[in-house]
């Protein structure tokens, strides 16, 4: 072909390739036209399609919309066409009529080609293709390869002195300016996706975008997406290039990702499959070797050995090919020095380098993704095993493992074991790497490689004591972290009592002290790690010095090629040697975690034979207990229950009564199999439902709590609501039964929680009902209604055993059990027991004594309040009618008002009383980075860290350059310096660089510690100062997630990520500087490559950032379910719901694994593309080097460039990856900063507004037009309350559920700030003083008695203000002195988590003891005696009357005898004062609401 004869070979190849592709495009166009013509002719012979069908088919498709990706590709095509057209115009304009044909050939063909490509690109949008045509993609890749080839050839000829090699400058400039656009189009061609969206129109005309290449999500799809990840079914090419992830990243580039966008895990990757595999292998070991402890590590290995083998294969190939470069460097330097062994040796060497780097890149990504997936499998399976174990723990095991510790097993230990997958193959890879390194060194330095082996062994041996040190620190760190997390969880759970008692500062300081202990071990761990970093950065230098020194001493000759090959080998070996301490540390940490998990999994479970299940057809007895003895502490000499004989016939109602601490709740636990059985037999026939004394409510809406996993039956549901007196409550709630309940039901009253529990039990339609004092938390009317509608009616045909302190509910029982000191002292019917006298008679007499107080009023009572103005508010007719309606409410047909129908997911999201977890969207703000860097030492350490890293890099390059320059280029050349000088200078430079690494590590550790501590303290103080509404609407698991997971990231990760990013940036700049010093042409590709890398980084980070945020949000439900399930394990077991909760846990684990897997895959997706780009740049550099004539470039410098170039792909990907990981990790800082900006309560102390130390002196409380609501957008709860509580008087506060009683108390303690109005105590407006000044002067005994883990002394006097004598006096007064004295530890008797080793009644008496010690002038009792028997209630009231006779006592009570002897009674109704007067005057008015309540209570008790 004459036109091609005078063209350079690359240009001729380019012209031929473009011409061929252009011809292929025309051929395909003709074939497509012919096929379209054939189809049209065939359709003419068929019946015409109906217009309606056509409209339906076509009308739903709206025009396609193009994103930035497509527009950029289109612009690049137009730009390339413009460049070629400009080149062609220049040739014609300059040469005129004398223009040569070959000069026009290439630009002309390329101009035509780019015209065709531009047309193809435009067609993509009009047709709506999701991917570019294969022809266009191949064309773009070939065009870029040809562009690079032409650029290389032009550079070579430009530097040549041969006149025959003249360059066509017009072609060169056109080619050069087109390179960036062609590079981008090459990237588009590799990826293939267009990013074009089609919009589909539904029947309502609503447009919904469809991302091509993805799947359309159905409008009614639940947030839990139905699509399965394509990872499992992807082809080889898709797996190798990770292009199966591209559709998800395409979505993330256009809008913030949501959980629904993330595909499900494949079935084999889901938590259920992983759990089954691990659990089966673990249990198999237990059965095969019953005498030995099963190995958890072996079970993990047996479960996932196939994945480990596949990952190991990729790791082995990656390791071998990574040593190809160092092995060939010496040959490459020899080639550049003129020692050419065979023809085209340089090109073959360059090709081998390229193929090796390509294989290294591809295998690394598959290896890393494989270990990530294996880590997910291990974490999912282990978490499920820990969760199941937590549900089955016996009481003794439960006492030794608090909920905080169990959460830590899941949050920390399981995480660490899963992370070990990354280090698993390093155990055998390190010897392999050492062997390969020795082979290369033997080639270069001969027998001196033996010294390398010795030096390497010494370096490894030096890490053994370091590993032990790290393990010790890790043990201490984990122990201190466990303690802090346990106390944090306890404080968050009991924040209400901390605020009411003004103890929050004390407990916050305790947590800060625990954090200081944790920081001490963290500091030792990090500083020792800095020393380890110095040692192991020095190890490769130590090995190199020993190797080179030995070689010189033995008379060996070092050459530049041999030295560079050895240095490259040491550089590769440096990575595993540097990671070896991490490996040893990780092995130590993983062993600790495995031991902790194994110990937990070996803990005693509830025995399966605790109860014997008997078929209902074989017996008429629902419960049969024979000669049984039970004890919560089997080692105790005194059992909890002994000599128990009980037989309950099916359908019988059995009541259990007795004084507090007699064993009533333990008796129910024995039927459930919860309490350890020492002897005897327990038989149960039928399913059971259990209602515990302390309400356990799940987070979720009311309907979900009632259904408790059962399907919805609307008729049964309606009957349950009526029977549990919940209809009125649901009407009062804004969203009815769809109202979201807060953590532990915190936004419901005690009575509402109890009734929700009862509804949950009733809806299950069980055979046996075990009710533990279910009526204590409700008022008299509601209690009577519940007893009538629930026990006597709804459970008429069921077997019911109910514990009660209300004597009036006993006559209806078929069997009454009287317990005392763990024995059933009496059993029988009511009348029989009454005639028998003894213990039962004492209980009834105490009850009658309480009733008599309502009937006998002395005239002196009226005289005692004669000085009090009559503030009785005469109730209106509407109020009386309202009360009558309430009393007779069940007699009317029940309406379904308040029971909301199921809504679509979009609508139900609006029905919230609990806040959704906040999640930022979009890029992480620069302010987050700046704030973080400025937290410690005002950011002064940052420039010092950068300076230290820069000095390290400069000295390292200088040391390598020195060795390459000072040694002979080839064998036989003279060295440029003496061998001693050679080694001394090298050692000085190399060890100097290590010293700067040590300085940098110290600075980073110091900076990270100081910043982490500041952030923790700031967050902790903001959380403790947050208003109570924050805790009401925020599940504790969400807060624990921040103080555990996010804080751990800040402690151990972020500072080092920041330092790592700076380090990688400086290293990358050093590599580019060395390469460009030798071959400046590499800058031609470096700049567009950097632009492409930054663009891809932005494309990736848009999805990665949101995936990380979703990940953080999805972690909280897992933690919350853990803590919630452990707290309610007895209830879950009582209902037999373990399987459902286990299934829920597996579902949440999958929800967490989905974004985690996608996030990890996205990292590998980005790294693959980064490394491929840098591999092509390296290949380009190699091609330039081998094409230069020998002698043009100094071989040693070229070899140094190749040595650094071998790391270019790794450093480039690590640079981008370190920034992406930093941005992902910095989200933890972002989340902590969210909690550092929480709205705060009023100040604890206000200077110049402190009340006198004796305030309040009288205890007068005046309410002035008090209006209160819980949120600005919610209706008022209290409507203008105005009244006066005289100092020193006893005020009873009564009213129906929802009337505002508890809200009034919260306003008094300023847990809720009034919307308007005032509360004045002794002439001081409480809104004007500090919260601590207020709350510390008031005292309260709350409805739910709260004990903290610790001792009796600490629970009574946490502020340590009282003497032992004063504490003993308080215990004597609250009738606990004898009980505490009987304990061996006396005041130091242990209190377990939640006070589980003390009965509810005893906990209430301890709360009374706190009030006795505090001796405040104002005392509030919020249903304080609801959980004690009548006799104890009478006793407590006498204690209060005598010990607080000069105090203002405000008593909220449902038991009328508790308030009947009050000086004044306040009756609330719907947030307003219905009545306020003395009990005597209120009872004189037969139509008063108070009289109605008394009558109801008296009527209920009249049968006694």
């Amino acid at each position: 072909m004459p036109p091609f004869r005078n063209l350079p070979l690359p240009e001729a190849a380019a012209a031929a390739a473009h011409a061929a592709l252009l011809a292929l495009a025309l051929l395909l166009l003709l074939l497509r036209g012919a096929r379209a013509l054939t189809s049209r002719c065939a359709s003419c012979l068929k019946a015409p399609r109906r217009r309606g069908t056509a409209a339906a088919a076509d009308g739903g498709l709206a025009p396609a919309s193009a994103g930035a990706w497509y527009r950029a590709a289109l612009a690049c095509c137009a730009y390339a066409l413009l460049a070629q057209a400009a080149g062609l115009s220049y040739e014609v304009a300059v040469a005129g009529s004398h223009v040569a044909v070959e000069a026009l050939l290439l630009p002309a063909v390329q101009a035509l080609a780019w015209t065709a490509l531009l047309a193809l690109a435009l067609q993509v949008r009009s047709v709506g293709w999701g991917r570019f045509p294969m022809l266009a993609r191949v064309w773009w890749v070939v065009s870029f390869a040809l562009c690079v080839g032409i650029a290389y050839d032009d550079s070579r000829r430009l530097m040549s002195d041969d006149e025959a090699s003249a360059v066509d400058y017009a072609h060169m400039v056109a080619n050069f300016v087109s390179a960036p656009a062609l590079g981008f189009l090459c990237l588009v061609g590799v990826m293939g996706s267009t990013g074009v969206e089609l919009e589909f129109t539904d029947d309502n005309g609503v447009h919904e975008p469809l991302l091509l290449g993805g799947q359309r999500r159905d409008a009614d799809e639940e947030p839990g997406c139905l699509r399965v990840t394509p990872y499992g079914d992807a082809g080889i090419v898709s797996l190798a290039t990770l292009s199966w992830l591209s559709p998800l990243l395409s979505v993330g580039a256009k809008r913030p990702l949501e959980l629904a966008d993330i595909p499900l895990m494949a079935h084999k990757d889901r938590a259920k499959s992983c759990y089954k595999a691990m659990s089966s292998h673990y249990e198999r070991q237990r059965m095969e070797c019953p005498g030995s402890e099963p190995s958890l590590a072996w079970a993990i290995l047996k479960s996932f050995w196939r994945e480990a083998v596949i990952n190991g294969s990729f790791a082995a190939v990656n390791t071998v090919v990574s040593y190809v470069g160092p092995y060939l460097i010496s040959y490459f330097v020899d080639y550049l020095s003129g020692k050419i062994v065979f023809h085209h040796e340089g090109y073959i060497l360059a090709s081998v380098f390229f193929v090796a780097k390509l294989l290294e890149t591809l295998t690394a990504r598959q290896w890393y993704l494989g270990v990530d997936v294996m880590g997910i499998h291990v974490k999912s399976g282990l978490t499920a095993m820990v969760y199941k174990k937590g549900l089955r723990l016996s009481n003794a095991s439960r006492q030794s493992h608090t909920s905080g510790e169990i959460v830590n097993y899941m949050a920390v230990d399981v995480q660490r074991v899963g992370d070990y997958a990354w280090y698993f193959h390093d155990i055998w890879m390190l010897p392999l790497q050492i062997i390969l390194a020795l082979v290369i060194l033997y080639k270069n330095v001969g027998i001196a490689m033996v010294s390398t082996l010795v030096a390497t062994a010494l370096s490894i041996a030096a890490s053994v004591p370091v590993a032990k040190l790290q393990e010790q620190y890790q043990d201490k760190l984990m122990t201190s972290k466990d303690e802090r997390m346990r106390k944090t969880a306890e404080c968050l759970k009991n924040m209400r009592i901390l605020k009411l008692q003004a103890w929050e500062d004390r407990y916050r300081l305790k947590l800060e002290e625990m954090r200081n202990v944790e920081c001490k071990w963290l500091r030792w761990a990090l500083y020792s790690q800095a020393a380890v970093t110095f040692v192991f950065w020095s190890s490769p230098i130590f090995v190199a010095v020993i190797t080179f020194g030995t070689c010189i001493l033995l008379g060996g000759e070092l050459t530049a090629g041999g030295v560079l090959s050895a240095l490259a080998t040491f550089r590769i070996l440096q990575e595993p040697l540097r990671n070896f301490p991490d490996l040893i540390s990780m092995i130590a940490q993983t062993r600790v975690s495995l031991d902790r998990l194994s110990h937990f999994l070996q803990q005693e479970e509830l025995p399966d034979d605790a109860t014997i299940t008997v078929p209902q057809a074989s017996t008429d007895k629902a419960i049969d207990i024979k000669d049984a003895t039970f004890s919560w502490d089997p080692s105790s000499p005194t059992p909890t229950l002994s000599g128990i004989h009980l037989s309950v016939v099916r359908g019988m109602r059995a009541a259990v009564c007795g004084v507090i601490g007699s064993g009533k709740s333990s008796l129910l636990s024995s039927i459930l199999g919860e309490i350890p059985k020492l002897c005897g037999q327990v038989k149960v026939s039928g399913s059971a439902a259990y209602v515990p004394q302390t309400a356990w409510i799940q987070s979720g809406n009311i309907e979900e709590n009632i259904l408790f996993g059962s399907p919805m039956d609307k008729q049964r549901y309606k009957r349950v609501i009526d029977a549990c007196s919940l209809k009125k409550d649901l009407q009062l709630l804004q969203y009815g039964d769809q109202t979201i309940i807060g953590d532990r039901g915190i936004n419901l009253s005690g009575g509402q929680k109890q009734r929700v529990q009862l509804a949950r039990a009733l809806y299950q339609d069980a055979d046996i009902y075990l009710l533990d004092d279910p009526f204590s938390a409700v008022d008299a009317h509601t209690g009577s209604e519940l007893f009538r509608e629930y026990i006597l009616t709804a459970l008429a045909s069921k077997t019911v055993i109910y514990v009660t302190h209300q004597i009036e509910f006993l006559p209806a029982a078929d069997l009454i059990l009287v317990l005392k000191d763990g024995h059933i002292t009496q059993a029988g019917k009511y009348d029989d027991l009454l005639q028998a006298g003894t213990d039962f008679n004492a209980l009834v007499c105490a009850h009658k004594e309480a009733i008599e107080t309502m009937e006998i009023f002395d005239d002196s009572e009226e005289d005692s309040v004669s000085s009090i103005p009559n503030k009785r508010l005469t109730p209106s007719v509407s109020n009386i009618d309202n009360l009558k309606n309430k009393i007779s409410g069940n007699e009317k047909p029940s309406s379904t008002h308040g029971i909301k129908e199921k809504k679509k997911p979009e609508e139900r999201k609006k029905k919230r009383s609990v806040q959704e977890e906040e999640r930022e969207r979009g890029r992480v703000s620069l302010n987050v980075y700046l704030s973080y860097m400025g937290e410690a030492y005002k950011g002064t350490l940052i420039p010092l860290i950068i300076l230290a890293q820069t000095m390290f890099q400069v000295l390292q390059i200088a040391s390598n350059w020195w060795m390459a320059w000072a040694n002979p280029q080839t064998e036989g050349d003279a060295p440029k310096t003496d061998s001693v000088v050679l080694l001394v200078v090298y050692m000085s430079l190399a060890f100097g660089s290590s010293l700067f690494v040590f300085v940098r590590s110290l600075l980073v550790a110091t900076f990270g510690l100081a910043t982490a501590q500041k952030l923790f303290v700031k967050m902790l103080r903001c959380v403790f100062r947050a208003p109570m509404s924050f805790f009401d609407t925020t599940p504790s698991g969400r807060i624990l997630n921040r103080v555990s997971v996010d804080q751990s990231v800040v402690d151990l990760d972020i500072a080092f990520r920041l330092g790592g990013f700076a380090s990688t940036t400086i290293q990358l700049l050093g590599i580019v500087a060395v390469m460009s010093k030798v071959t400046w042409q590499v800058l031609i590709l470096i700049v567009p490559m950097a632009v492409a890398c930054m663009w891809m980084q932005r494309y990736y980070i848009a999805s990665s950032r949101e995936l990380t945020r979703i990940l953080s949000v999805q972690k909280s439900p897992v933690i919350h379910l853990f803590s919630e399930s452990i707290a309610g394990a007895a209830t879950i077991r009582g209902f037999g719901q373990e399987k459902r909760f286990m299934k829920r846990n597996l579902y949440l684990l999958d929800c967490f694994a989905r974004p985690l897997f996608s996030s990890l895959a996205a990292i590998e997706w980005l790294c693959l593309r980064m490394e491929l780009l840098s591999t092509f740049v390296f290949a380009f550099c190699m091609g330039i080097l081998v094409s230069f004539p020998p002698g043009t470039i100094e071989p040693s410098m070229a070899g140094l460039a190749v040595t650094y170039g071998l790391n270019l792909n790794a450093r480039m990907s690590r640079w981008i990856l370190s920034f992406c990981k930093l941005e992902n990790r910095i989200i933890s800082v972002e989340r902590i900063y969210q909690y550092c900006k929480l709205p705060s309560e009023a100040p604890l102390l206000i200077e110049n507004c402190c009340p006198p130390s004796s305030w309040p002196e009288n205890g007068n409380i005046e309410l002035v037009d008090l209006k209160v609501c819980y949120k600005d957008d919610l209706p008022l709860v209290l409507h203008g309350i105005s009244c006066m509580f005289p100092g020193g008087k006893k005020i009873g506060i009564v009213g129906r559920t929802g009337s505002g009683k508890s809200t009034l108390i919260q306003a008094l303690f300023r847990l809720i700030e009034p919307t308007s109005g005032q509360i004045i105590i002794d002439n001081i407006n409480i809104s004007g003083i500090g919260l601590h000044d207020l709350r510390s002067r008031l005292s309260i005994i709350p409805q739910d008695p709260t004990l903290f883990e610790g001792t009796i002394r600490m629970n009574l006097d946490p502020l340590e203000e009282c003497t032992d004598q004063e504490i003993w006096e308080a215990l004597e007064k609250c009738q606990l002195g004898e009980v505490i004295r009987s304990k061996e530890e006396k005041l130091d008797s242990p209190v377990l988590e939640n006070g589980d080793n003390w009965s509810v009644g005893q906990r209430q008496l301890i709360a009374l003891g706190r009030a006795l010690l505090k001796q405040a002038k104002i005392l509030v009792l919020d249903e304080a005696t609801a959980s004690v028997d009548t006799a104890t209630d009478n006793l407590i009231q006498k204690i209060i009357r005598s010990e607080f006779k000069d105090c203002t006592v405000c008593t909220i009570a449902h038991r009328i005898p508790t308030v009947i002897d009050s000086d004044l009674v306040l009756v609330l109704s719907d947030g307003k004062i219905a009545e306020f007067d003395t009990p005597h005057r209120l009872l004189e008015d037969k139509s008063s609401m108070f009289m109605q309540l008394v009558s109801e209570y008296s009527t209920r008790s009249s049968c006694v």
Side-chain angles (χ1 to χ4, degrees), residues 1270-1315:
Y1270 284 97
K1271 282 186 180 180
D1272 293 338
D1273 57 342
L1274 293 179
L1276 289 174
V1277 181
L1278 297 181
H1279 302 265
I1281 301 289
S1282 295
C1283 61
M1284 173 77 172
F1285 298 165
K1289 300 301 179 182
K1290 309 298 181 284
I1291 314 296
I1293 303 174
V1294 296
R1296 286 276 292 158
T1297 297
S1299 60
K1301 303 184 298 295
S1302 295
T1303 305
L1304 180 61
I1305 300 305
Q1306 291 186 67
L1308 180 63
F1309 282 82
R1310 290 180 64 190
L1311 291 182
I1312 306 172
E1313 295 289 349
T1315 306

Side-chain angles (χ1 to χ4, degrees), residues 1013-1045:
Q1013 184 66 355
K1014 278 197 170 184
L1015 284 177
F1016 175 82
V1017 171
K1018 189 184 293 186
M1019 173 175 64
L1020 186 69
R1021 291 179 179 177
C1022 287
V1023 167
F1024 269 68
R1025 292 288 298 117
M1028 199 60 222
S1029 58
F1030 169 74
F1031 300 96
D1032 291 346
T1033 58
T1034 306
S1036 60
R1038 201 177 288 175
I1039 307 173
L1040 286 173
N1041 196 12
R1042 280 173 170 81
V1043 297
S1044 60
V1045 178

Side-chain angles (χ1 to χ4, degrees), residues 815-860:
L815 174 67
I816 299 173
L817 304 173
V818 182
L819 268 73
K820 184 178 181 181
D821 297 330
H823 300 274
I824 299 178
T825 57
Q826 290 178 277
K829 288 185 175 292
Y830 183 85
D831 293 334
D832 298 335
L833 295 179
L834 203 57
Q835 292 175 5
T838 64
D839 298 322
F840 184 71
N841 199 33
L843 292 172
V844 175
C845 288
H847 175 73
K848 288 183 176 179
E849 181 184 339
I851 295 298
E852 287 170 1
T853 62
M854 297 192 302
E855 300 169 353
I856 303 173
F857 288 90
D858 296 326
D859 295 335
S860 59

Side-chain angles (χ1 to χ4, degrees), residues 178-222:
S178 300
L182 296 184
F184 177 77
L185 289 172
C186 176
L187 178 64
V188 174
V190 171
M191 297 184 65
S193 177
T194 63
V196 171
E197 295 187 341
L198 285 181
E199 291 199 355
F200 287 84
T201 309
D202 63 13
D203 296 335
N204 299 319
V206 177
H207 295 284
E208 180 184 341
L210 171 69
L211 292 173
L212 297 173
Q215 284 181 299
R216 183 167 183 252
R217 192 166 69 247
D218 190 75
D220 294 329
E221 186 177 315
E222 288 291 331

Side-chain angles (χ1 to χ4, degrees), residues 710-952:
S710 299
M712 167 62 84
D713 180 337
K714 290 187 177 180
Q715 291 302 317
R716 193 200 326 175
Y717 184 74
K718 177 176 169 295
R719 290 195 299 270
V720 167
I721 295 294
D722 290 339
C724 297
S725 303
L726 278 170
K727 183 174 62 176
K728 176 65 174 177
D729 299 276
L730 296 182
Q731 291 172 353
L732 294 174
L733 293 172
Q734 187 176 5
Y735 300 120
D737 61 354
Q738 299 302 309
T739 299
I740 298 294
I741 301 174
D743 199 16
R744 306 180 312 280
I746 202 164
N747 52 345
L748 296 180
S749 70
Q752 288 170 330
K753 284 191 283 188
Q754 195 67 274
R755 281 177 284 138
V756 169
Q757 277 204 125
L758 288 167
R760 176 174 64 201
L762 181 57
Y763 192 84
Q764 300 308 305
D765 195 25
D767 301 311
I768 302 169
Y769 283 80
L770 306 174
L771 313 177
D772 194 352
D773 200 9
F775 312 114
S776 62
V778 297
D779 57 72
H781 162 66
T782 307
S784 300
E785 188 176 325
L786 273 175
F787 189 77
R788 182 176 64 249
E789 298 294 331
Y790 191 90
I791 291 183
L792 299 183
T793 304
L795 299 181
S797 60
K798 306 290 184 179
T799 305
V800 182
I801 300 181
Y802 60 96
V803 173
T804 184
H805 289 131
Q806 281 87 350
I807 303 299
E808 56 270 24
F809 294 141
L810 296 179
D814 301 316
L815 174 67
I816 299 173
L817 304 173
V818 182
L819 268 73
K820 184 178 181 181
D821 297 330
H823 300 274
I824 299 178
T825 57
Q826 290 178 277
K829 288 185 175 292
Y830 183 85
D831 293 334
D832 298 335
L833 295 179
L834 203 57
Q835 292 175 5
T838 64
D839 298 322
F840 184 71
N841 199 33
L843 292 172
V844 175
C845 288
H847 175 73
K848 288 183 176 179
E849 181 184 339
I851 295 298
E852 287 170 1
T853 62
M854 297 192 302
E855 300 169 353
I856 303 173
F857 288 90
D858 296 326
D859 295 335
S860 59
E861 182 194 52
E862 189 168 352
D863 296 337
S864 67
V865 295
S866 59
S867 60
I868 302 171
N870 185 356
K871 294 192 177 181
R872 178 184 169 200
L873 305 179
T874 305
S876 63
V877 176
S878 60
N879 276 336
I880 297 172
D881 292 340
N882 186 32
L883 179 66
K884 290 179 180 178
N885 290 337
K886 290 176 183 176
I887 294 174
S888 58
N890 276 350
E891 298 171 7
K892 297 182 179 180
S894 299
S895 69
T896 58
H897 180 69
I899 305 174
K900 309 289 184 183
E901 293 296 324
K902 284 264 190 178
K903 304 292 182 185
K904 291 184 178 180
E906 294 81 2
E907 295 175 9
R908 292 185 67 183
K909 287 178 183 176
K910 300 176 184 176
K911 301 191 179 305
R912 292 287 182 264
S913 288
V914 174
Q915 296 174 357
E916 292 288 345
E917 181 161 9
E918 58 277 8
R919 169 189 151 204
E920 302 288 345
R921 284 173 169 76
R923 297 196 62 174
V924 177
S925 170
L926 181 62
N927 289 332
V928 175
Y929 290 94
L930 295 178
S931 299
Y932 175 76
M933 290 188 287
E935 285 289 343
Y937 308 106
K938 297 183 179 178
T940 53
L941 295 184
I942 301 297
L944 295 178
I945 292 170
I946 294 173
L947 178 62
Q949 180 61 38
T950 304
M951 290 303 300
F952 157 74

